[in-house]
């Protein structure tokens, strides 16, 4: 139904009116929803809608029409918000109701990790300000009925049959959520498809769990098994990021009312999941109907993969330690767990590049910038785990809050070098930590993690190791935002950082005989626009993929999708290497870090 016909239909409803109210006009749910992401009805106009209560959520409930209009482009479901302190009894699931209220658009914003405010440190000072979060500015709203004056229970009714969840692109490849300046089109546009089901009952057939449940968060991600093609799977049987495919078939599900905390195993088939499609925190989700029994959840199918092969060459590793600090809650256990992975899984690498190391007093407004005791605690934990002794190669930020990350944490990158590794080291350098370290217009690393460079010799051959942690994707518009063509705004910042890094390394090493190894958290995939300067450098940088194949090359899980954002990149004098992406954390129920470590072995030429 087009906008003009929607308004015409509503005008007819206004002329008819209702017996119960001189103000309210009878309106179908589909007319209130309209054929768009926002209602076309005036928010000040009172309407009366009828439907069966299909579920409760938060402080309201969902209703769905028992007499649909037959147009698949218009939703037949609606959220009703009766107010924080309603004066009437609320209906229960299965009640047939007539609700009088006013249509409006609302942006739900309640589930962690999203918050209404965030802390921001003033670069170069100990000042930390709390500012309003701008996340919700890009969120879509949901159409709801609020300012409710009455809820009349007219009887009971069967719940409408659930619609099969099958978004456009689910059984193929689709590169966009919507097309700018194009008509509303649920058949071809995933963003419009989700809107056409807003508030309605849907069923996800043979749902596969594709993400672990986040601690303190009531959501996890699933996808219908029938949409899961083999080329889209990682070596471990989970969705693998593919350029040109946005995976609209991966959808967040929210626990049912009265569901006790549980953590479904990644890869488990949960059968058909039925619930109500809605929107929250910048994404669509399905609120489940039924409570799941954790004791009856199936065990995922076993996936056999080739064991990682370690040789006798010099081994390097990159490891994002996820805000590691001696002052963090549970620090001792975290150090023990990280050390166990370093010793037992990574086989005590000769050189280890670590990201996300905070200062010794963690987050907070203090002048402390050193991480000496934190790094010593990790070194000691490695020894207790049966590992070798390591030398710490680290430089503290010159001033507080110049490196970004959690406010007051003074995050930085560091190296650990194994004693008796045979690696001869020079003094390290924090690149771009100059007087303009807080001037975003002059320095792309202003207020961001500074690369740590150390030159070395291995068997007499010159190397340069650079430990990176490029800027995050904070500020990117989501696929299902209020923008038809969402912009990944953070790309520009990472690309500038890559340009500066390439220029600096070319200035230092062009024309020399030296192998340059970049490692760390690049916060983007190898083929991204942001990392194009590395691929185009005359130093000949090459991304090292897992030697077992591309399906093993993943270091992070985001909203159910496996991505490779941690890398080893080799330039200058090329050497033979073998890379391993160690699947230790991204798919784990009990994560030590949110990133998988990556190992690079330098092989004898």
């Amino acid at each position: 139904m087009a906008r003009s016909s929607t308004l015409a239909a509503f005008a007819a409803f206004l002329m008819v009116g209702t017996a119960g109210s001189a103000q309210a006009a009878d309106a179908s749910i589909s007319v209130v929803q309209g054929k768009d992401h926002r209602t076309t009805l005036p928010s000040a106009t009172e309407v009366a809608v009828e439907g069966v209560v299909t579920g409760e959520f938060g402080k309201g409930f969902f209703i769905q029409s028992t007499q649909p209009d037959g147009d698949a482009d218009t939703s037949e479901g609606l959220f009703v918000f009766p107010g924080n302190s309603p004066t009437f009894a609320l209906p229960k699931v299965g009640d047939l109701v007539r609700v009088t209220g006013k249509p409006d658009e609302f942006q739900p914003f309640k589930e962690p990790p999203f918050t209404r405010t965030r802390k921001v440190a003033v670069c170069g000072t100990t000042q930390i300000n709390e500012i309003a979060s701008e996340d919700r500015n890009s969120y879509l709203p949901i159409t709801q009925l609020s300012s409710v004056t009455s809820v009349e229970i007219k009887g009971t009714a069967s719940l409408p049959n659930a619609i099969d969840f099958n978004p456009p692109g689910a059984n193929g490849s689709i590169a966009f959520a919507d097309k700018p300046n194009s008509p509303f089109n649920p058949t071809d546009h995933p963003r419009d498809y989700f809107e056409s089901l807003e508030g309605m009952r849907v069923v996800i057939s043979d749902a596969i769990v594709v993400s672990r449940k986040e601690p303190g968060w009531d959501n996890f991600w699933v996808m219908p098994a029938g949409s899961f093609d083999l080329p889209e799977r990682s070596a471990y049987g989970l969705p693998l990021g593919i350029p040109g495919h946005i995976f609209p078939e991966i959808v967040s599900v929210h626990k049912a009312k009265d569901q006790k905390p549980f953590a479904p195993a990644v890869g488990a088939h949960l059968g058909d999941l039925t619930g109500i499609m809605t929107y929250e925190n910048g994404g669509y989700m399905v609120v489940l109907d039924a409570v799941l029994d954790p004791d009856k959840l199936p065990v995922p199918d076993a996936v056999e993969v080739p064991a990682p092969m370690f040789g006798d060459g010099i081994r390097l590793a990159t490891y994002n330690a996820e805000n590691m600090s001696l002052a963090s809650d549970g620090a001792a256990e975290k150090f023990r767990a990280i050390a166990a992975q370093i010793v037992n899984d990574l086989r005590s690498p000769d050189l280890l590049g670590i990201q996300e190391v905070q200062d010794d007093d963690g987050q907070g407004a203090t002048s402390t910038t050193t991480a000496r005791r934190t790094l010593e605690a990790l070194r000691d934990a490695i020894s207790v785990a049966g590992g070798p002794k390591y030398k710490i190669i680290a430089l503290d930020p010159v001033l507080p809050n110049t490196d970004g990350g959690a406010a007051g944490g003074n995050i930085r990158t560091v190296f650990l070098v194994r004693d008796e590794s045979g690696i001869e080291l020079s003094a390290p350098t924090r690149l771009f930590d100059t007087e303009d370290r807080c001037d975003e217009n002059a320095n792309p690393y202003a207020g961001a993690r500074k690369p740590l460079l150390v030159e070395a010799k291995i068997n007499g051959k010159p190397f340069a190791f650079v430990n990176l942690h490029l800027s995050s994707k904070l500020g990117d518009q989501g696929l299902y935002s209020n923008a038809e063509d969402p912009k990944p705004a953070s790309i520009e910042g990472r690309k500038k950082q890559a340009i500066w890094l390439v220029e600096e390394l070319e200035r230092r090493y062009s024309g020399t005989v030296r192998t340059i190894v970049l490692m760390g958290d690049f916060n983007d995939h190898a083929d991204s626009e942001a990392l194009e300067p590395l691929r185009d450098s005359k130093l000949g940088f090459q991304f090292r993929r897992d030697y077992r194949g591309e399906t093993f090359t993943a270091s992070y899980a985001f909203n159910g999708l496996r991505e490779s954002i941690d890398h080893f990149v080799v330039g200058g004098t090329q050497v033979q290497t073998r890379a391993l992406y160690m699947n230790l954390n991204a798919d784990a129920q009990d994560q030590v870090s949110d990133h998988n470590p990556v190992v690079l072995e330098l092989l004898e030429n």
Side-chain angles (χ1 to χ4, degrees):
M1 187 179 291
R3 178 184 175 90
S4 59
S5 57
T6 301
L7 290 175
F10 181 65
F13 286 131
L14 284 176
M15 292 175 65
V16 173
T18 71
S21 171
Q23 301 296 323
D26 285 328
S28 67
I29 291 175
S30 60
V31 167
V32 174
Q33 280 281 8
K35 196 171 181 177
D36 202 346
H37 286 268
R38 291 170 172 79
T39 183
T40 57
L41 303 186
S43 60
T45 304
E46 194 172 50
V47 297
V49 298
E50 290 190 4
V52 59
V53 177
T54 55
E56 302 173 29
F57 188 69
K59 295 183 178 180
F61 55 92
F62 292 97
I63 60 174
Q64 187 166 332
S65 175
T66 58
Q67 296 179 329
D69 65 0
D71 186 349
D73 289 357
T74 56
S75 171
E76 298 291 342
L78 187 65
F79 184 72
V80 177
F81 177 62
N84 291 317
S85 302
T87 58
F88 41 80
L90 297 182
K92 60 183 182 296
V93 173
D95 284 343
L96 186 64
V97 296
R98 174 184 171 87
V99 184
T100 302
K102 297 178 180 179
D104 72 0
E105 299 294 329
F106 177 68
Q107 287 181 318
F109 192 73
K110 59 172 289 188
E111 295 291 333
F114 302 91
T115 56
R116 294 183 182 275
T117 62
R118 61 187 180 93
K119 293 181 179 179
V120 177
V122 180
C123 184
T125 75
T126 59
Q127 181 179 344
I128 297 177
N129 298 326
E130 187 162 338
I131 65 172
S133 172
E134 297 181 357
D135 290 337
R136 70 184 305 179
N137 291 344
S138 68
Y139 294 170
L140 283 166
I142 65 167
T143 303
Q144 68 174 14
L145 204 65
S146 63
S147 302
V148 175
T149 56
S150 71
V151 176
E152 178 188 354
I153 299 176
K154 303 183 66 175
T156 60
S158 299
L159 299 187
N161 292 332
I163 304 292
D164 185 47
F165 174 70
N166 186 29
N171 295 294
S173 180
I174 192 166
F176 57 86
D178 209 343
K179 287 186 177 180
N181 305 314
S182 62
F184 188 80
N185 186 355
T187 301
D188 295 325
H189 302 169
R191 179 171 172 266
D192 295 343
Y193 171 83
F194 282 106
E195 170 63 25
S196 73
L197 297 177
E198 183 184 89
M200 294 180 66
R201 300 185 73 239
V202 300
V203 58
I204 306 165
S205 300
D206 191 10
I208 305 174
V209 179
V210 294
S211 78
R212 60 188 287 276
K213 181 180 178 294
E214 298 289 343
W217 204 3
D218 294 329
N219 291 51
F220 58 94
W221 277 261
V222 301
M223 67 183 297
S227 301
F228 206 176
D229 296 329
L230 281 175
E232 299 175 339
R233 303 188 189 205
S234 74
Y236 305 94
L238 296 163
L240 181 67
I242 298 172
H245 185 18
I246 64 167
F247 287 85
E249 62 268 39
I250 297 177
V251 64
S252 173
V253 294
H254 188 285
K255 71 176 187 180
K257 183 182 179 182
D258 300 325
Q259 173 76 60
K260 294 182 179 179
F262 72 109
V266 176
H269 287 251
L270 301 184
D272 295 349
L273 294 181
T274 302
I276 301 170
M277 180 69 71
T278 188
Y279 182 93
E280 190 168 75
N281 297 328
Y284 288 97
M285 68 179 185
V286 176
V287 181
L288 297 181
D289 283 349
V291 171
L292 300 176
D293 185 348
D295 295 331
K296 295 182 179 179
L297 295 181
V299 176
D301 297 334
V303 179
E304 295 185 7
V305 298
M309 182 184 300
F310 292 92
D312 297 326
I314 294 290
R315 282 197 312 279
L316 319 174
T318 177
Y319 194 111
N320 184 312
E322 192 181 11
N323 290 320
M324 183 182 73
S325 172
L326 191 65
S328 299
D329 293 340
E333 175 58 24
K334 179 162 184 168
F335 287 131
R336 186 204 64 75
I338 291 176
Q341 289 190 344
I342 291 171
V343 174
N344 300 326
D345 298 295
L346 308 185
R347 308 282 183 87
S348 302
D350 297 286
L351 182 143
L352 183 63
I354 307 178
Q355 302 85 46
E356 290 204 24
V357 176
Q358 293 188 348
D359 61 36
D360 288 336
D361 64 1
Q363 302 176 34
T366 74
S367 59
T368 298
T369 61
T370 181
R372 179 182 57 83
R373 291 190 299 117
T374 292
L375 292 168
E376 288 174 349
L378 177 61
R379 182 181 62 185
D380 293 345
I382 292 172
S383 296
V384 171
K389 293 183 178 179
Y390 279 91
K391 180 180 180 181
I392 298 169
I393 308 296
L395 292 173
D396 297 327
V398 176
L399 294 172
N401 290 318
T402 58
D403 279 28
N410 293 304
I411 196 173
R412 84 288 309 275
T413 62
V414 303
F415 288 110
L416 296 183
V417 182
R418 181 173 175 170
D419 287 1
E420 303 177 359
S421 64
I423 301 176
E424 303 174 34
L425 296 168
S426 301
T429 302
R430 275 170 57 91
L431 298 179
F432 316 121
D433 194 9
T434 48
E435 293 297 327
D436 58 3
R437 62 179 62 87
C438 289
D439 186 349
E440 295 181 359
N441 295 320
N443 185 344
Y445 288 90
R449 279 81 61 165
K450 310 299 185 292
L452 186 63
L453 167 69
V454 62
E455 295 181 348
K457 285 188 177 181
I458 301 175
N459 297 326
K461 298 178 181 179
F463 283 77
F465 299 110
V466 184
N467 191 351
L468 298 173
H469 190 175
L470 300 184
S471 292
S472 73
K473 296 186 178 183
L474 184 68
D476 286 1
Q477 292 177 317
L479 286 172
Y480 305 111
S481 67
N482 56 26
E484 289 183 309
D485 185 21
K487 302 296 183 183
S490 65
I491 285 179
E492 182 180 358
R494 283 191 301 281
K495 189 171 185 178
K496 287 182 179 179
Q497 289 175 341
I499 290 171
W500 271 48
L501 179 64
V502 165
E503 290 176 348
E504 177 64 19
L505 296 177
E506 288 179 347
R507 182 186 68 80
R508 287 174 180 253
Y509 301 123
S510 289
T512 66
V513 179
R514 184 180 294 272
T515 300
I516 306 160
V517 180
L518 314 180
M519 66 185 77
D521 180 358
F522 290 65
N523 266 314
D524 227 322
H525 57 87
D527 297 326
S528 67
E529 177 187 343
L531 303 185
E532 184 179 28
L534 296 176
R535 300 192 300 272
D536 293 344
S537 170
K538 60 186 177 183
L539 290 172
F541 285 114
Q542 297 177 13
F543 286 79
R544 296 302 201 243
R545 319 306 282 167
D546 193 294
Y547 81 92
R548 295 167 293 179
E550 195 65 26
T551 58
F552 288 87
T553 306
S555 65
Y556 193 74
F558 179 70
N559 290 359
L561 189 63
R562 273 68 196 160
E563 303 174 317
S564 176
I565 62 174
D566 301 80
H567 305 285
F568 271 100
V569 187
V570 181
T573 304
Q574 290 294 324
V575 293
Q576 188 177 358
T577 64
R578 179 166 53 208
L580 279 164
Y581 279 71
M582 306 293 291
N583 190 32
L584 303 181
N585 296 317
D587 299 337
Q589 293 299 98
D590 297 316
Q591 289 185 330
V592 176
S593 167
D594 54 349
H595 289 247
N596 287 333
V598 187
V599 175
L600 186 75
E601 186 172 11
L602 305 180
L603 305 176
E604 294 294 334
N605 292 322

